[in-house]
């Protein structure tokens, strides 16, 4: 069911857009194989996507087979949201792609966070990496440096 809903959103994105205020579409900042779409609340696809954002308590998700990262535009518009938060999300979703994660699990999320930190450091995003290191410690109750390294297949 989730795959069907994600595919439906993707197909609608290809067909519809009421203008630049509804969506922003661009190449992933760390990997040109991925496309990023920010779905704003005025987008026709936002209602369906926002259900996924809320039900999974996430700000973004990856459509693996379509190589598409969907980001919640309502979150992007929040005062607290910074470029570091954006970079953390981009690195995390790219990590899911590199690790070939096709389903959500606590272990997959931990691996994506771990590799996300490495990706941020490798892309000279130190303050974003520091933010994700703090989130990692809070989420998993252990430090990133002490955690078992994640190997990209």
């Amino acid at each position: 069911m989730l795959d069907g809903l994600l595919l439906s959103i993707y197909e609608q994105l290809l067909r519809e857009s009421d203008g630049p205020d509804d969506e922003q579409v661009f190449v992933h900042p760390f990997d040109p194989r991925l496309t990023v779409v920010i779905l704003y609340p005025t987008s026709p696809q936002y209602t369906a996507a926002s259900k996924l954002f809320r039900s999974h308590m996430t700000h973004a998700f990856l459509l693996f087979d379509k190589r598409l990262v969907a980001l919640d535009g309502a979150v992007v518009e929040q005062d607290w949201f910074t470029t570091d938060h954006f970079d953390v999300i981009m690195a995390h979703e790219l990590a899911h792609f590199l690790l070939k994660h096709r389903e959500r699990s606590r272990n997959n999320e931990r691996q994506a966070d771990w590799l996300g930190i490495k990706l941020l450091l490798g892309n000279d995003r130190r303050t974003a990496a520091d933010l994700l290191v703090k989130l990692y410690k809070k989420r998993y109750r252990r430090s990133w440096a002490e955690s078992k390294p994640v190997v990209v297949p």
Side-chain angles (χ1 to χ4, degrees), residues 26-32 36 82-92 94 113-135 144:
F26 49 93
V27 174
H28 191 286
F30 305 142
D31 191 323
V36 178
T82 66
T83 55
D84 287 338
H85 292 96
F86 175 82
D87 286 344
V88 164
I89 291 169
M90 292 299 104
H92 177 90
L94 174 56
D113 282 345
W114 193 96
L115 184 55
I117 294 166
K118 293 278 287 189
L119 292 167
L120 290 166
L121 292 171
N123 283 282
D124 199 29
R125 303 297 211 285
R126 182 68 201 194
T127 58
D130 290 345
L131 174 61
L132 189 49
V133 164
K134 289 176 188 170
L135 290 170
W144 172 74

Side-chain angles (χ1 to χ4, degrees), residues 8-107:
S8 172
I9 292 168
Y10 175 75
E11 288 169 350
Q12 285 179 347
L13 282 171
L14 293 178
R15 288 192 309 265
E16 302 173 9
S17 178
D18 289 342
D21 294 336
D22 294 332
E23 296 115 18
Q24 284 184 299
V25 180
F26 49 93
V27 174
H28 191 286
F30 305 142
D31 191 323
R33 294 175 295 173
L34 296 177
T35 299
V36 178
V37 61
I38 302 176
L39 293 168
Y40 291 97
T42 54
S43 169
Q45 295 77 31
Y46 187 79
T47 300
S50 68
K51 291 175 186 173
L52 291 172
F53 294 135
R54 282 194 310 269
S55 69
H56 291 290
M57 298 188 321
T58 188
H59 301 313
F61 53 82
L62 170 69
L63 296 169
F64 186 91
D65 291 333
K66 302 300 180 187
R67 296 181 176 201
L68 181 84
V69 175
L71 177 59
D72 187 344
V75 171
V76 172
E77 294 175 332
Q78 297 294 313
D79 290 338
W80 58 264
F81 193 86
T82 66
T83 55
D84 287 338
H85 292 96
F86 175 82
D87 286 344
V88 164
I89 291 169
M90 292 299 104
H92 177 90
E93 297 304 328
L94 174 56
H96 279 305
F97 178 74
L98 295 173
L99 294 166
K100 300 179 179 10
H101 290 166
R102 294 176 180 267
E103 56 190 52
R104 186 177 168 96
S105 72
R106 181 156 174 81
N107 190 53

